[in-house]
Amino acid sequence: MTHSEITTAIVYHSGYGHTQRQAEAVAKGAESLGNTALIAIDADGNIPDDAWTILDHANAIIFGSPTYMGGPSWQFKKFADASSKPWFEEKWKDKIFGGFTNSASINGDKLNTLQYFALLAGQHGGIWVSLAIKPANLKSSKRDDPNRMGSYIGPMAQSDADASPDEMSRGDMETAQSYGARVAQIASRFAKP
C-alpha cells in the first residue's frame, strides 16, 4: 500500500494496551470506507520516519492517547510538538481530524484530552469531527451501551485500573468503531477528486 492510498491515519500512544485496543476499533470502523494506517507512538514519544509521510498524505488524521493526570500522555505531547514541522508548511491544513481517549476513572478529565486534540487540529487548520452518538444516560442504560461516557466531542473509554485491555466495555469499542467510520465517511466527502 502506498502513502497516497491511506485515507485515514490513526496516530496514538498507549501505555498499557487499552488505548491501542481503542485505536484498533477506530481503525476497524474507518477501514470500511478506505485504507487505514495505525501509527503507534512509542514509549519514547517517537513515530517511524515514514509515518510522517503517511500523515501528510492521509485524508483524515485521528489522534489517540490515554488521559494521564488530566491530559494526554507526555509521549503524545512530544509527537504534537514534533508536528510543528508539518504545521509550518501547512501540510495538514483542511484535513479532517478526530480524537479519542481512555482513562481508568469514569470522568478522569478525559474531556481535557479531547479538547487538547481539537485545539491541535485547529492549529493545523483542520476540520474536527464530532461523535454524533447520543449518550446512554437513562436508568436502563448499561456499561456496554454505546457512548456510555456521554461525550460529544469524540469517543471516551473507561478501563478499570486493574482490568486487561480484553476486559474493556463492548460499548466503548462500538463507540470507537462507529467514530472511525464517521470520520472516514466525512473525509471521503471532502476528498479531492
Side-chain angles (χ1 to χ4, degrees):
M1 185 178 324
T2 66
H3 297 311
S4 61
E5 294 173 329
I6 301 297
T7 55
T8 304
I10 299 107
V11 58
Y12 70 95
H13 172 253
S14 183
Y16 300 97
H18 301 89
T19 309
Q20 178 179 338
R21 184 152 184 245
Q22 197 178 12
E24 291 165 351
V26 169
K28 185 176 181 182
E31 69 190 14
S32 65
L33 287 130
N35 297 315
T36 62
L38 278 167
I39 301 169
I41 300 168
D42 68 21
D44 295 320
N46 300 312
I47 61 174
D49 289 339
D50 70 333
W52 291 104
T53 304
I54 292 170
L55 291 164
D56 292 346
H57 288 92
N59 294 329
I61 298 173
I62 303 175
F63 300 134
S65 171
T67 296
Y68 293 155
M69 303 306 291
S73 66
W74 72 262
Q75 291 91 341
F76 186 89
K77 290 178 189 173
K78 181 178 176 182
F79 158 78
D81 287 349
S83 78
S84 62
K85 195 169 196 175
W87 168 84
F88 185 76
E89 297 177 34
E90 296 186 333
K91 287 186 175 184
W92 298 354
K93 184 178 180 182
D94 297 330
K95 286 189 185 292
I96 303 301
F97 283 88
F100 59 92
T101 190
N102 172 62
S103 73
S105 298
I106 293 291
N107 179 332
D109 297 315
K110 291 185 273 287
L111 178 60
N112 192 48
T113 300
L114 292 177
Q115 289 172 328
Y116 178 92
F117 294 158
L119 180 56
L120 179 60
Q123 288 179 325
H124 280 284
I127 302 163
W128 186 265
V129 177
S130 65
L131 183 56
I133 299 173
K134 290 190 174 141
N137 58 8
L138 302 174
K139 287 193 296 186
S140 61
S141 298
K142 304 289 184 240
R143 181 179 190 272
D144 287 328
D145 287 344
N147 198 16
R148 69 188 179 105
M149 296 289 106
S151 178
Y152 289 95
I153 192 169
M156 295 180 180
Q158 184 268 326
S159 304
D160 295 327
D162 58 350
S164 73
D166 291 337
E167 296 175 274
M168 291 178 74
S169 157
R170 287 190 316 267
D172 289 350
M173 295 302 94
E174 183 181 331
T175 302
Q177 186 172 336
S178 295
Y179 186 67
R182 176 170 163 76
V183 172
Q185 181 182 46
I186 290 174
S188 71
R189 291 183 196 170
F190 285 84
K192 296 174 185 170

